[in-house]
Amino acid sequence: MAIPQSFIQELIERTDVVELIGRYVQLRKSGANYMGLCPFHTEKSASFSVSPSKQFFHCFGCGRSGNAIGFLMESQGMGFREAVQDLAQHAGMQLPEEERSPQERERAQAQRQQQATLSEVLARAARAYCAQLRTAPQAIAYLKGRGVSGALAKRYALGWAGGGWHGLASVFAEYDSPLLVQSGLVIESEEDGRRYDRFRERVMFPIRNLKGECIGFGGRVLGDEKPKYLNSPETPVFHKGRELYGLFEARQAIREAGHVLVTEGYMDVVALAQLGFGNVVATLGTACTPEHVHKLFRFSDQVVFSFDGDEAGRRAARKALDAALPYASDTRTVKFLFLPPEHDPDSYVRSFGHDAFARLVGDALPLSRFMLQVASEACDLGSAEGRAHMLSKAQPLWAALPEGALKPQLLAQFAERGQIAPEQLQSLWTKERVAHTGQGFEADSTGYRSWRKGNDWRGPRTPGARVRTQAPLARTPGRRRSDHALRLLLSHMAFLHTLDAEDRQALAALPAPHGTLFLWLEDQWHERGVLPWAQLGPALQGHECEPLAQRIMTGSHAQTEGDEAELRAELQDLLARMHIENIEREQSALIAASASDPTALARYRQLEERRRALKNGSSGGAAPRENKPA
């Protein structure tokens, strides 16, 4: 259900943004505003400003800005609806549900009640495991042997599950409660219905969500029994493919370090935190997923995956690569660290020291080089067949990358390794994609990026061939062009400031639903100011333009990160080409009317001057604009 904008506006007005941000940032009065150290990047002098009159925050260092909802989303990793619910609870406001049927409201209420109940059951078990740890000398000896202090064990709420089959019966009087099975704490035999504890004789690692609620457990045996680690099953509150162990505890350390390190085990997280690396998280017994990567990039633009150097580690790294590729924009860094087979992160730090491991992390393999390695594995690059095999493996990896400066560079590197011209490789891969999917690379639907970077739009070059001097945007379908213009505006709403009356008229006049979406976006800008897509998307729920917006903002083609000046120039070029098309249509009508209208030719000539000016300007990246805001 979409949350009405009137409710969101009232919620923002009733929220004291200074009080809210003051819970997380130490603020001091400075004139009409409040200042503090930015929570989104490391700084020594305060550049983070909070305006009580505008109910707005802005950092002059990193450029982050927004309202109370945006702050919770950015700093606490909340989703839009979650942030609204949090603020509404503090403001004593009830989220409107009038658009739901009574049955839908009843189901939603039951689901929320179930999740809250299961979280309380898991929290109760976590407290019991913590209490048992104090009476388990073998577990205490193990943790001390790994260098874990009592303070750190308390921070991560480590515990111990005893050896009895029904240890939780002393914690929960109703051991036959279905909640114990639903939460994953107890297993019920399908044959005879008998119950027993899932976790026995294991060091317990509570798994918390971003709100700090216990949603599951990981348990580690002390000996050589299998499995070494046992995780909670999928439940209504726990999904392994979405959650990361230690992220709740590591949030601030990640921002301070400037990167997040992803490991494979719970103990790696705790042990590295003890050794000075608090910015570490771990996947939960499953391969890294796109949901994991998306969540990590909420907290840092730099992600380093750490794996064992054996074959299993390489396979895990390969899956992490697949998950990370769609998010590897020009403003983000993804690296891969492979430890020697005889070491895990903890043992490496103990053997070689903190600084040696920090250097290892800093020197980790960049995503681009790992892509080249993966594509080249088991390929004889000394033969034409081996190089062709390498290029066939490289194509889906390269296609998964978002559009940007990295993509053409990797195309050139693959082409060099495959001993083929970049233009020929681009043409080959495009043909293969069309053959398999019926469409070319949508990520470069306007042709603009490849043209500006002197990349592949010219096609194969042969001696004596005539070289085009203008990008082939005129051959791009109008829908693709309007898609990309709206994509840039939805991703960078501040670009609305740069539009003049002619631009706005052209965008508003687009056939529905494109023109309708632009008018909606402009209304949002006037009413609420500049908002990120993370807030615009939920605000569109239920709107007639939601399908269009979701389509153009989903997939690798939706990545529009990069230099803002270049992106603004890209938008201006798209608009210039829209204006050219509009002028040419009007000129066609004037030619038809010239026989009866003596003023038609004069108007035609005026439009021709404007068309030529736009065309000359667009061939250099942007048309000359009159009275254009900077």
Side-chain angles (χ1 to χ4, degrees):
M1 180 194 77
I3 302 174
Q5 292 302 311
S6 57
F7 177 85
I8 293 174
Q9 190 63 38
E10 182 182 357
L11 177 63
I12 292 174
E13 290 174 357
R14 290 175 60 173
T15 298
D16 184 345
V17 72
V18 175
E19 187 276 330
L20 169 70
I21 296 177
R23 301 177 205 161
Y24 307 94
V25 180
Q26 186 173 353
L27 300 173
R28 59 176 177 78
K29 194 79 164 62
S30 178
N33 298 330
Y34 289 79
M35 300 294 295
L37 296 177
C38 179
F40 305 116
H41 77 288
T42 303
E43 62 178 7
K44 295 182 179 179
S45 58
S47 61
F48 184 78
S49 173
V50 183
S51 170
S53 60
K54 297 179 181 179
Q55 289 289 287
F56 203 74
F57 71 87
H58 177 76
C59 177
F60 296 96
C62 67
R64 298 282 185 95
S65 61
N67 56 24
I69 297 173
F71 179 82
L72 288 178
M73 292 175 67
E74 292 281 350
S75 67
Q76 304 305 304
M78 295 184 182
F80 176 78
R81 189 175 186 88
E82 188 180 9
V84 171
Q85 287 176 327
D86 186 272
L87 292 177
Q89 183 178 359
H90 282 88
M93 297 173 65
Q94 183 69 36
L95 261 66
E97 297 192 1
E98 65 277 1
E99 295 182 21
R100 291 186 179 186
S101 67
Q103 294 81 6
E104 289 174 328
R105 289 200 296 269
E106 186 177 345
R107 283 196 298 269
Q109 177 61 29
Q111 184 180 24
R112 287 195 295 270
Q113 183 60 47
Q114 181 194 37
Q115 290 175 340
T117 303
L118 290 179
S119 293
E120 176 53 37
V121 167
L122 290 162
R124 189 173 171 186
R127 291 191 293 270
Y129 290 141
C130 284
Q132 291 180 44
L133 178 62
R134 292 191 288 269
T135 62
Q138 68 275 41
I140 294 174
Y142 168 77
L143 292 173
K144 285 185 176 180
R146 298 295 298 264
V148 178
S149 67
L152 195 69
K154 182 178 180 181
R155 179 186 173 196
Y156 283 89
L158 302 185
W160 171 253
W165 287 89
H166 307 99
L168 289 176
S170 63
V171 180
F172 298 95
E174 297 181 355
Y175 190 71
D176 58 350
S177 169
L179 291 173
L180 296 182
V181 175
Q182 293 172 14
S183 63
L185 292 170
V186 165
I187 296 174
E188 187 174 73
S189 172
E190 295 181 359
E191 296 179 357
D192 55 15
R194 292 185 179 182
R195 293 186 166 204
Y196 55 93
D197 291 2
R198 179 180 301 273
F199 300 100
R200 303 179 307 279
E201 290 192 89
R202 291 177 182 267
V203 175
M204 299 299 290
F205 299 83
I207 302 165
R208 294 162 166 164
N209 62 18
L210 287 172
K211 293 189 289 186
E213 299 169 335
C214 182
I215 56 175
F217 291 95
R220 189 194 192 284
V221 295
L222 299 183
D224 297 327
E225 298 93 275
K226 301 294 182 182
K228 181 178 179 181
Y229 281 99
L230 181 65
N231 302 301
S232 289
E234 295 280 315
T235 71
V237 295
F238 178 56
H239 306 281
K240 289 184 287 186
R242 301 177 193 170
E243 304 295 339
L244 290 152
Y245 177 70
L247 184 56
F248 172 74
E249 293 83 0
R251 292 172 302 167
Q252 187 58 38
I254 290 170
R255 294 193 176 98
E256 292 173 355
H259 70 274
V260 56
L261 180 65
V262 186
T263 61
E264 297 183 89
Y266 301 95
M267 201 61 226
D268 290 331
V269 174
V270 177
L272 285 174
Q274 184 70 61
L275 296 168
F277 296 93
N279 57 322
V280 184
V281 301
T283 52
L284 301 169
T286 184
C288 183
T289 67
E291 289 82 0
H292 288 145
V293 178
H294 178 70
K295 182 171 285 190
L296 289 169
F297 277 128
R298 286 186 185 180
F299 295 92
S300 177
D301 288 333
Q302 298 186 51
V303 177
V304 180
F305 293 101
S306 173
F307 299 99
D308 295 338
D310 56 14
E311 184 59 32
R314 301 289 293 191
R315 288 195 300 270
R318 179 66 172 83
K319 292 178 180 178
L321 174 66
D322 289 337
L325 282 172
Y327 298 94
S329 66
D330 295 345
T331 58
R332 294 169 174 165
T333 300
V334 179
K335 292 185 176 183
F336 296 84
L337 169 63
F338 295 98
L339 293 168
E342 66 273 16
H343 283 291
D344 59 24
D346 175 31
S347 67
Y348 190 94
V349 178
R350 293 186 181 281
S351 298
F352 302 103
H354 178 282
D355 293 345
F357 185 70
R359 285 194 297 271
L360 203 63
V361 172
D363 295 336
L365 195 67
L367 175 140
S368 57
R369 287 172 55 190
F370 188 46
M371 281 180 65
L372 290 166
Q373 285 188 8
V374 168
S376 301
E377 285 177 357
C379 296
D380 177 14
L381 299 185
S383 68
E385 293 83 356
R387 293 191 293 272
H389 186 202
M390 180 273 295
L391 292 174
S392 70
K393 292 169 61 180
Q395 189 273 334
L397 300 175
W398 182 85
L401 285 169
E403 199 62 27
L406 176 63
K407 198 167 187 178
Q409 292 182 72
L410 272 168
L411 177 76
Q413 290 184 31
F414 281 124
E416 180 181 7
R417 185 165 291 195
Q419 296 184 21
I420 186 173
E423 295 85 358
Q424 290 176 316
L425 182 59
Q426 171 70 46
S427 176
L428 175 66
W429 281 353
T430 302
K431 289 178 181 177
E432 288 180 355
R433 182 175 177 86
V434 171
H436 283 88
T437 67
Q439 62 182 4
F441 292 110
E442 187 178 1
D444 197 17
S445 58
T446 65
Y448 177 86
R449 295 184 187 275
S450 53
W451 158 53
R452 279 183 69 88
K453 298 182 184 300
N455 186 20
D456 48 37
W457 61 268
R458 293 180 177 85
R461 298 284 297 278
T462 56
R466 182 179 177 183
V467 178
R468 285 181 283 173
T469 58
Q470 187 170 321
L473 277 171
R475 300 180 65 181
T476 303
R479 178 177 174 181
R480 289 281 183 87
R481 188 174 298 137
S482 55
D483 278 0
H484 196 52
L486 286 169
R487 182 180 301 127
L488 288 167
L489 290 171
L490 288 167
S491 303
H492 303 272
M493 199 174 175
F495 289 178
L496 287 167
H497 290 284
T498 70
L499 303 184
D500 60 19
E502 185 183 21
D503 296 335
R504 297 178 194 280
Q505 183 178 0
L507 290 165
L510 290 170
H514 291 75
T516 309
L517 178 58
F518 171 74
L519 292 173
W520 177 87
L521 182 63
E522 198 169 36
D523 287 342
Q524 295 294 305
W525 177 50
H526 288 305
E527 292 179 8
R528 305 172 61 193
V530 174
L531 301 174
W533 167 245
Q535 290 178 244
L536 291 171
L540 270 166
Q541 289 181 4
H543 193 277
E544 60 180 303
C545 297
E546 182 186 9
L548 169 64
Q550 292 297 338
R551 176 176 65 79
I552 64 179
M553 295 300 290
T554 302
S556 60
H557 63 276
Q559 301 294 327
T560 58
E561 291 88 348
D563 180 73
E564 288 202 359
E566 182 176 333
L567 292 174
R568 280 196 299 269
E570 180 173 354
L571 176 62
Q572 290 182 4
D573 188 83
L574 290 167
L575 291 168
R577 293 173 188 280
M578 288 183 186
H579 297 325
I580 289 171
E581 289 182 348
N582 291 337
I583 288 172
E584 289 174 345
R585 281 193 291 269
E586 185 176 353
Q587 284 180 318
S588 297
L590 288 169
I591 290 174
S594 61
S596 58
D597 184 358
T599 64
L601 289 178
R603 173 62 178 162
Y604 180 93
R605 286 191 289 269
Q606 291 176 350
L607 290 174
E608 181 62 16
E609 290 180 6
R610 174 66 173 146
R611 189 186 72 85
R612 288 180 177 176
L614 285 166
K615 194 168 184 180
N616 291 336
S618 66
S619 67
R625 313 306 295 267
E626 296 177 4
N627 301 321
K628 194 73 170 178

